[in-house]
Amino acid sequence: MVRSRSSANKWKYINPSYYLKRPKRLALLFIVFVFGSFFFWDRQTLVRDHQEEISKLSEEVIRLQDLLEDLKNDQSVSGETMNFSHSDGDVGKKIDYTEDPVDAQRREKVKDAMRHAWSSYEKYAWGHDELQPQTKNGVDSFGGLGATLIDSLDTLYIMGLDEQFQRAREWVANSLDFNKNYDASVFETTIRVVGGLLSAYDLSGDRLFLEKAQDIADRLLPAWNTPTGIPYNIINLSHGNPHNHGWTAGHSILADSASEQLEFIALSQRTGDPKYQQKAENVILEISRTFPDDGLLPIHINPEGKAVVYSTITFGAMGDSFYEYLLKVWIQGNRTTAVDRYRKMWETSMKGLSSLVRRTFPSSFAYIGEKVGDSFVDKMDELACFAPGMLALGSSGYGPDDSQKFLSLAEELAWTCYNFYQSTPTKLAGENYVFNKGQDMTVGTSWNILRPETVESLFYLWRLTGNKTYQEWGWNIFQAFEKNSRIESGYVGLKDVNSGVQDNMMQSFFLAETLKYLYLLYSPPSVIPLGEWVFNTEAHPIKIVSRNDRAMTSGAGKSAGQQKSYKRPLTRREGRFGNK
Ligand SMILES: *[C@@H]1O[C@H](CO)[C@@H](O)[C@H](O)[C@H]1NC(C)=O
Ligand SMILES: *[C@@H]1O[C@H](CO)[C@@H](O)[C@H](O)[C@H]1NC(C)=O
Ligand SMILES: *[C@@H]1O[C@H](CO)[C@@H](O)[C@H](O)[C@H]1NC(C)=O
Ligand SMILES: *[C@@H]1O[C@H](CO)[C@@H](O)[C@H](O)[C@H]1NC(C)=O
């Protein structure tokens, strides 16, 4: 009963006459209706927004899970195999990758080498530039900027050595001080410190690294204030006052002056301040005005005027990374028309490179010679062994014929470089080689300072061809380092690759480059894919960002569009080292 009465009472509320007699209630009902619909509409919008966000988030979760899967795979030494079908962006043909259990074991061995090198540095040389392992002390060969530590950040990160990375990060946050009364090399500081910090930033997303990179770059920048825009090679970090080495008679060195583009362009993209990019690109613009038909430049250039300086032409010491960066700026800009000019200059230089290629007798090893004026010199630095990797990386930008031609040249040169190692009693390469008729190759300068160039090239060749031979060669080189260079307190170079007598220096590039390239040689190609990253000349990977600005015109980099196009990548361990 009670029920029926109550329901009968309710019915009157939907009878219009009830409200017509009560205008206040009608108004109230109207207000309730308006607010109600607004509320409903608002919820709907919120729900839609949330759904979008959720679907984005779940995409990211799926991506992160994939990456975590990769990571687990990274660390597994089990017999599991995984097939990756990948294309390194458009830099290579599609290669089917099958994880080989041997790869996982080798990767683990390389990681162990990094642990050993790093813990020795931590124990005996913490905060110093480099470790002297025999005497167990640190030395400040770069002004006391923690060169080994900064050079190692990305290697530690990529290898998943998280605790070590965190300790290094704390040092950068609390103890890294650039205000040093020290005459620093602009080039070495750029490739190691600016490059290392930028790479750590791109990988971890931690803005601390970007701020530090900008701080040191600001201290280097006055070096570019010259009549031509070609920088002086030395600057005092606390006082400025840029100048050149005494031994170059006031001239600048080609590689030192014209391989800061990757770092400075990246810095402008990430900070939104175009000045770094402008300074670095103006150098190439200046050089392009008098670029020779063979694209080969002597290693000394004049920062004060246009006079050509008589000196050596080489793909080894003091020339090398100039050519490397012509290609890599093109790749960094994602091969757009804005960076076309770099590619054209590079192709011109590769004609020049081809003109320097000779073959030994009797074994017909291909090598890249040098030139002084018109005379040809039958000598090649181990440093020039980066060239096979560069040629392989650049081969994809050519039409099919040239592409095959340069890839074949790359493979031939890599064979030669591998033999620089195999031909000595220690199986480690000397610093340079001379080529006399009838003797193939002979060690010139006989030290080995743990250099990376040959394993760097093997890494590129393996990534781009999928040919496992290059992994085998890399493994033999790694084992020679383990045998000759590993001591209880780190890794040392050799004073002589014939006798095996050791030196007392663990070069920072051993951790930055040699061990990183070896690690990647046994990792799935999805770890630092070449379609997304470009390595600076110290092996620091920097994210590729498509460029739409007009490159190398005065005011290059001013276009806002370019700065906007930089989105910080979401990377494997974003969540853990996170954005602050
Ligand atoms: C990987 O590929 C190989 C050959 O293409 C095939 O035999 C093997 O079954 C694949 N493994 C997995 C786990 O898919
Ligand atoms: C740094 O530059 C200042 C100013 O030119 C100079 O006086 C000082 O000697 C330099 N320091 C070193 C270590 O060369
Ligand atoms: C792999 O590379 C080596 C060395 O360049 C070469 O001799 C061999 O023919 C290559 N293998 C394949 C399958 O291309
Ligand atoms: C580079 O360009 C290709 C297309 O040409 C595009 O698919 C890719 O996403 C671009 N990469 C970056 C990092 O912008």
Side-chain angles (χ1 to χ4, degrees):
M1 289 298 263
V2 173
R3 249 175 101 192
S4 74
R5 200 179 61 211
S6 120
S7 66
N9 276 347
K10 257 189 220 155
W11 283 111
K12 72 179 181 204
Y13 294 114
I14 41 171
N15 186 343
S17 64
Y18 174 85
Y19 292 100
L20 286 174
K21 280 184 253 159
R22 297 172 179 79
K24 271 189 197 155
R25 293 213 178 170
L26 182 63
L28 190 67
L29 188 70
F30 180 72
I31 289 165
V32 167
F33 173 76
V34 167
F35 276 93
S37 358
F38 179 76
F39 182 71
F40 182 72
W41 173 81
D42 190 48
R43 298 302 302 173
Q44 286 299 99
T45 316
L46 271 177
V47 165
R48 246 198 332 270
D49 286 355
H50 269 115
Q51 271 165 350
E52 263 172 47
E53 255 174 54
I54 285 166
S55 76
K56 266 192 222 150
L57 273 174
S58 45
E59 271 171 38
E60 287 187 1
V61 167
I62 290 168
R63 220 178 123 200
L64 277 172
Q65 280 167 343
D66 287 351
L67 291 165
L68 265 174
E69 200 55 43
D70 281 4
L71 181 63
K72 261 191 262 158
N73 211 48
D74 266 21
Q75 287 167 344
S76 84
V77 282
S78 70
E80 261 178 79
T81 63
M82 284 265 296
N83 288 349
F84 292 77
S85 180
H86 88 291
S87 161
D88 258 336
D90 53 351
V91 297
K93 48 189 173 172
K94 207 168 159 75
I95 287 159
D96 288 322
Y97 171 73
T98 308
E99 167 87 314
D100 186 330
V102 174
D103 287 356
Q105 281 161 15
R106 288 178 173 179
R107 187 165 65 232
E108 213 42 44
K109 288 272 194 281
V110 176
K111 188 168 163 179
D112 181 65
M114 181 67 188
R115 269 196 210 95
H116 179 63
W118 176 260
S119 65
S120 306
Y121 170 77
E122 262 195 294
K123 194 162 169 194
Y124 302 116
W126 184 245
H128 290 287
D129 285 328
E130 289 178 308
L131 165 67
Q132 293 192 307
Q134 309 278 11
T135 43
K136 300 183 179 166
N137 58 278
V139 279
D140 288 330
S141 358
F142 300 96
L145 310 180
T148 295
L149 190 150
I150 293 176
D151 247 355
S152 298
L153 286 165
D154 52 6
T155 308
L156 294 171
Y157 192 94
I158 291 166
M159 291 185 180
L161 295 170
D162 298 344
E163 285 169 19
Q164 290 89 331
F165 179 84
Q166 278 303 342
R167 287 200 291 275
R169 190 231 175 249
E170 288 316 301
W171 186 88
V172 171
N174 303 318
S175 308
L176 177 56
D177 174 17
F178 293 129
N179 194 21
K180 294 279 159 64
N181 180 5
Y182 178 77
D183 274 356
S185 157
V186 171
F187 169 71
E188 297 291 352
T189 310
T190 299
I191 64 169
R192 291 175 206 237
V193 182
V194 181
L197 290 166
L198 281 172
S199 184
Y201 171 66
D202 273 3
L203 288 164
S204 71
D206 189 336
R207 285 194 72 83
L208 166 75
F209 298 121
L210 182 61
E211 284 156 18
K212 294 287 179 183
Q214 192 167 15
D215 180 355
I216 185 68
D218 285 339
R219 292 170 191 274
L220 299 176
L221 218 51
W224 276 264
N225 297 336
T226 65
T228 56
I230 290 168
Y232 294 117
N233 298 154
I234 295 170
I235 193 162
N236 191 298
L237 292 180
S238 55
H239 300 283
N241 184 29
H243 57 281
N244 275 338
H245 300 280
W247 53 269
T248 59
H251 298 131
S252 295
I253 294 166
L254 177 64
D256 284 32
S257 310
S259 6
E260 285 90 5
Q261 287 73 31
L262 283 188
E263 297 82 0
F264 279 39
I265 291 169
L267 192 58
S268 281
Q269 289 168 335
R270 284 144 186 76
T271 59
D273 187 337
K275 69 183 173 197
Y276 311 102
Q277 173 167 350
Q278 278 165 7
K279 295 278 189 204
E281 293 212 289
N282 278 339
V283 175
I284 305 298
L285 183 62
E286 178 67 21
I287 287 174
S288 73
R289 292 205 175 103
T290 54
F291 206 47
D293 289 343
D294 61 3
L296 300 177
L297 293 181
I299 56 174
H300 290 168
I301 49 176
N302 189 345
E304 270 145 29
K306 297 236 164 67
V308 174
V309 184
Y310 185 85
S311 53
T312 307
I313 284 172
T314 175
F315 279 84
M318 295 183 271
D320 47 13
S321 51
F322 163 65
Y323 306 101
E324 177 187 351
Y325 272 32
L326 290 178
L327 175 69
K328 287 184 172 175
V329 172
W330 177 70
I331 291 171
Q332 178 187 34
N334 204 18
R335 304 153 188 246
T336 60
T337 49
V339 280
D340 222 23
R341 202 152 161 191
Y342 286 93
R343 171 78 198 192
K344 292 216 171 75
M345 286 175 79
W346 183 75
E347 289 189 7
T348 304
S349 297
M350 290 310 99
K351 283 190 211 135
L353 182 149
S354 304
S355 76
L356 298 178
V357 172
R358 299 283 187 279
R359 283 176 176 75
T360 67
F361 184 78
S363 308
S364 206
F365 287 109
Y367 62 94
I368 309 170
E370 301 181 347
K371 246 164 92 172
V372 184
D374 284 334
S375 47
F376 189 86
V377 185
D378 295 280
K379 164 183 168 272
M380 180 172 168
D381 289 346
E382 196 280 342
L383 281 165
C385 286
F386 81 99
M390 172 183 71
L391 288 166
L393 188 60
S395 66
S396 65
Y398 287 112
D401 290 350
D402 277 342
S403 173
Q404 192 48 52
K405 188 180 101 190
F406 281 103
L407 187 59
S408 301
L409 178 59
E411 299 197 270
E412 263 197 275
L413 289 168
W415 170 237
T416 305
C417 289
Y418 176 57
N419 277 278
F420 286 173
Y421 288 74
Q422 288 305 295
S423 60
T424 73
T426 52
K427 306 272 184 260
L428 288 176
E431 176 71 0
N432 56 47
Y433 283 79
V434 292
F435 308 93
N436 300 315
K437 280 264 163 342
Q439 299 177 342
D440 283 327
M441 56 184 72
T442 311
V443 176
T445 305
S446 66
W447 33 266
N448 177 299
I449 56 170
L450 307 165
R451 285 199 192 279
E453 289 73 20
T454 299
V455 291
E456 169 183 348
S457 284
L458 297 178
F459 158 73
Y460 282 111
L461 280 166
W462 173 69
R463 275 281 179 100
L464 298 167
T465 66
N467 186 334
K468 293 175 86 66
T469 302
Y470 301 115
Q471 290 182 307
E472 293 308 314
W473 293 357
W475 186 245
N476 292 337
I477 293 174
F478 176 67
Q479 285 185 307
F481 280 129
E482 288 291 279
K483 186 161 171 231
N484 296 282
S485 293
R486 183 173 176 140
I487 65 172
E488 168 267 330
S489 48
Y491 285 84
V492 292
L494 300 184
K495 287 179 182 159
D496 184 347
V497 294
N498 298 306
S499 66
V501 173
Q502 295 170 327
D503 71 14
N504 184 23
M505 185 65 90
M506 186 168 80
Q507 303 282 342
S508 83
F509 53 68
F510 182 66
L511 293 83
E513 303 190 65
T514 314
L515 292 178
K516 184 186 289 126
Y517 284 128
L518 281 165
Y519 182 81
L520 293 174
L521 185 58
Y522 306 106
S523 299
S526 54
V527 182
I528 317 290
L530 293 180
E532 290 170 32
W533 298 87
V534 62
F535 290 88
N536 87 341
T537 194
E538 187 79 0
H540 296 305
I542 291 173
K543 267 269 165 181
I544 290 172
V545 179
S546 280
R547 280 179 62 180
N548 303 307
D549 57 323
R550 283 173 301 125
M552 294 204 292
T553 53
S554 46
K558 267 188 192 136
S559 98
Q562 178 210 338
Q563 315 306 350
K564 272 193 207 126
S565 68
Y566 176 72
K567 287 201 196 69
R568 219 195 53 69
L570 180 76
T571 50
R572 291 202 300 184
R573 268 159 282 161
E574 171 109 24
R576 285 204 266 159
F577 295 125
N579 263 316
K580 296 280 148 64

